[in-house]
Amino acid sequence: MSDVRHVLVLPDRDAAEEVAQALGERFAVAEEPQLVRDALAGEDDAEDAQWLVVVEDPEARLDAGALDTFVAGWDGWREAP
């Protein structure tokens, strides 16, 4: 079975931090999600940055649809692999 990585895109750092914390409670992820600032192309202003929450799912047990619904609560979305 290959490792699966879910990338959740959030509008700001606060939302990303809340999602990362809530993921552990809601989905019992084994590994701490990684937060990554994703500056939009050509933009230096922090206001124009999205934040990514990267979730490793080595056993492919997280349901993509459930993640979609979960992250939508923070105006985010899951990047399709």
Side-chain angles (χ1 to χ4, degrees):
M1 184 179 298
S2 63
D3 287 358
V4 175
R5 173 180 289 150
H6 301 282
V7 178
L8 310 178
V9 182
L10 284 303
D12 57 51
R13 182 181 186 132
D14 289 342
E17 289 175 345
E18 288 177 24
V19 165
Q21 181 177 1
L23 274 167
E25 298 164 7
R26 169 75 167 76
F27 294 99
V29 294
E31 199 173 310
E32 175 115 8
Q34 179 182 2
L35 297 179
V36 179
R37 181 178 180 271
D38 182 32
L40 300 175
E43 299 291 339
D44 294 327
D45 189 348
E47 295 297 316
D48 293 322
Q50 295 174 327
W51 283 80
L52 308 179
V53 177
V54 180
V55 184
E56 300 295 336
D57 186 15
E59 297 171 10
R61 63 178 191 78
L62 297 176
D63 179 70
L67 285 172
D68 289 339
T69 301
F70 172 78
V71 76
W74 284 271
D75 294 325
W77 65 91
R78 182 183 54 85
E79 283 288 304

